[in-house]
Amino acid sequence: LNPAIMDFSSQLANLQKSASAAQQGGNNSTHPNRDNRGSPSRNGQGNRPNFNSDRRRPPPRHGDNRRHNNNQNNQNNYYGREPPNKRQRRDHVEGPYRSPKWNNLKRAVDTLPKFQPKEEATPSPCSHLCLLAITINELPLEAIWRDWAERQNISISLICHAKEPNKVQSEWLKQRLLVNAPHAGRGNDFAAPTYHTRYPAWGSIEITRAMLDLSHESCKVGTDADMKDPRFSTNRYAISNKTDSTPLPKVDKVLFISETCLPIASLSEDMLSSSVSIVNARDTPNNGFSRQLQFEKIHSLVPKKFKADQWMMLSRTHLDAILQMLPPNFWECFVDCNASDELYFPTALALLGIVVADDTDQIVVRKKRITYADWSMGPKNPATFEASDLKKVVAEARNEDCMVARKFGVIELEAWKAVVFPS
């Protein structure tokens, strides 16, 4: 036979065998010359590319461009975008995920002007001190603070932020609790006031926010002469008004206190100067807790970091500078810090140029503590004192020129008088 006819016959026979095998085996993937889809492979090793894999993928989302996807670790099919947990936390993450909010905050901090105090020939004396109290509910030493305020030669007022304001039983303290802005009720009267609280936990940023709320409220004292409703008027904060004027005079200084703070002396000369703040500030951590959980947790956009005792005394001039010159959301730089209430105000004063890093006292800032506490038991919590410790604590606190001591339990008024103001 002709060789060409033989070649054609053999090719036809092979084709018939292949067709017959295909009909019998179907898409059997166990065939030695078939890949995992049952199709003949080009090299007989079963490694033919799966061209149908793209057809089973979901359609691309708007804005996706897989050809230019540079994410080499795309295990979850996010195609180069941030995983959901990072997208939700973007505002709290530094680096490539920094949001416009942080960029704006950094720009505001970097361009922060330095504080320029007003030049006065003779500093005016303080005429009104406002006590800014942070409590859980009651103020156990209320009677002592009321007696102490009457003994001073200046006007004293008190504003309280309570974590649980609805549990306060004292009518005197209820009158001085922070309340929300009034809203219309029946007729022309305001509805009953509702108490304002941040529900702060120990060491949380909400304590710092409560201190800011108290600070803002203290700056309103003496400016709401048109408020006729006594439930909302700032005149309700007065403990003793030595000026006999209505409304109260504007606040010259503020002092932060807690429910365990006890006055152990009258106001000194520095405390009576309206231009001097008393802040025990330092720019270095004093222990491992302070370094790891405070200084290192402040957001990196803050160039200066300071720490001080929470219970400090600020002049009205310095308080206004903090509240008016710093961005309103500057507190967010301290969200991850433990006990941010010890960091916010001294850091703010440092950014404004009011507090400097050296250890010397300044003309307008006394770097000392005004509230005595015994930390010899450990760095986490100060020692708690009882009535039997009062005489010893008063002597030690006065040696450091402190006006307040903490932490005290229940102290009777007469026992306090006998030690602090003996007749």
Side-chain angles (χ1 to χ4, degrees), residues 85-104:
N85 60 333
K86 286 190 176 181
R87 288 200 295 271
Q88 295 169 2
R89 296 174 53 220
R90 185 185 307 188
D91 291 347
H92 301 285
V93 178
E94 300 179 33
Y97 304 123
R98 179 173 289 172
S99 68
K101 178 189 73 174
W102 290 113
N103 289 329
N104 295 335

Side-chain angles (χ1 to χ4, degrees), residues 151-169:
R151 294 173 182 269
Q152 308 308 307
N153 296 324
I154 63 173
S155 299
I156 306 292
S157 59
L158 183 142
I159 310 175
C160 180
H161 176 284
K163 178 180 180 179
E164 301 169 342
N166 293 324
K167 293 184 179 181
V168 175
Q169 300 297 321

Side-chain angles (χ1 to χ4, degrees), residues 92-397:
H92 301 285
V93 178
E94 300 179 33
Y97 304 123
R98 179 173 289 172
S99 68
K101 178 189 73 174
W102 290 113
N103 289 329
N104 295 335
L105 189 56
K106 178 174 174 55
R107 189 180 302 109
V109 172
D110 291 343
T111 59
L112 194 65
K114 297 300 180 183
F115 171 72
Q116 299 294 334
K118 296 181 180 179
E119 296 184 0
E120 297 182 1
T122 55
S124 57
C126 175
S127 62
H128 186 184
L129 171 67
C130 185
L131 304 174
L132 304 181
I134 297 179
T135 69
I136 296 178
N137 39 63
E138 298 285 355
L139 185 64
L141 304 174
E142 171 190 317
I144 293 178
W145 280 109
R146 295 174 66 174
D147 185 274
W148 176 87
E150 294 293 342
R151 294 173 182 269
Q152 308 308 307
N153 296 324
I154 63 173
S155 299
I156 306 292
S157 59
L158 183 142
I159 310 175
C160 180
H161 176 284
K163 178 180 180 179
E164 301 169 342
N166 293 324
K167 293 184 179 181
V168 175
Q169 300 297 321
S170 169
E171 294 297 330
W172 182 88
L173 187 60
K174 283 182 180 180
Q175 183 180 340
R176 289 159 178 82
L177 292 176
L178 282 177
V179 296
N180 296 312
H183 57 276
R186 293 184 177 181
N188 296 324
D189 296 331
F190 290 122
T194 57
Y195 297 121
H196 172 77
T197 179
R198 297 282 181 183
Y199 300 101
W202 185 90
S204 69
I205 189 63
E206 301 307 325
I207 296 181
T208 301
R209 301 188 69 187
M211 294 174 68
L212 289 171
D213 293 339
L214 290 169
S215 300
H216 281 288
E217 186 68 12
S218 69
C219 294
K220 299 177 183 178
V221 175
T223 63
D224 61 345
D226 297 334
M227 175 57 68
K228 304 302 181 182
D229 193 329
R231 300 173 300 172
F232 299 98
S233 172
T234 57
N235 290 328
R236 73 184 191 276
Y237 299 134
I239 303 178
S240 65
N241 186 359
K242 299 300 173 65
T243 61
D244 296 329
S245 63
T246 302
L248 281 170
K250 293 183 179 180
V251 171
D252 295 318
K253 305 188 84 166
V254 298
L255 173 64
F256 291 100
I257 65 172
S258 72
E259 59 192 5
T260 62
C261 286
L262 180 76
I264 50 91
S266 294
L267 294 167
S268 64
E269 182 178 352
D270 282 345
M271 302 171 194
L272 289 173
S273 175
S274 61
S275 61
V276 175
S277 294
I278 302 177
V279 184
N280 189 26
R282 54 187 176 274
D283 64 336
T284 55
N286 56 337
N287 51 48
F289 170 86
S290 178
R291 180 181 66 258
Q292 297 176 5
L293 299 180
Q294 292 187 314
F295 278 76
E296 294 179 359
K297 294 295 185 179
I298 301 177
H299 201 285
S300 60
L301 66 83
V302 181
K304 297 179 181 180
K305 302 173 184 180
F306 275 71
K307 177 182 177 178
D309 299 334
Q310 176 188 3
W311 319 111
M312 65 190 77
M313 177 179 280
L314 296 176
S315 69
R316 175 62 179 270
T317 305
H318 295 160
L319 186 64
D320 283 341
I322 293 174
L323 299 180
Q324 297 175 12
M325 299 178 68
L326 286 170
N329 63 333
F330 182 61
W331 59 268
E332 295 188 42
C333 296
F334 303 83
V335 168
D336 296 328
C337 300
N338 202 315
S340 61
D341 43 272
E342 300 176 350
L343 304 167
Y344 181 90
F345 285 90
T347 298
L349 292 173
L351 292 176
L352 295 171
I354 300 174
V355 170
V356 295
D358 58 37
D359 295 332
T360 59
D361 280 347
Q362 300 167 250
I363 297 176
V364 295
V365 176
R366 299 288 185 265
K367 287 186 178 180
K368 62 179 184 180
R369 59 179 181 176
I370 191 173
T371 302
Y372 174 85
D374 181 7
W375 294 93
S376 61
M377 304 299 294
K380 187 175 182 179
N381 290 305
T384 300
F385 303 119
E386 303 297 336
S388 58
D389 304 318
L390 183 57
K391 189 173 183 179
K392 176 185 175 181
V393 172
V394 168
E396 294 178 354

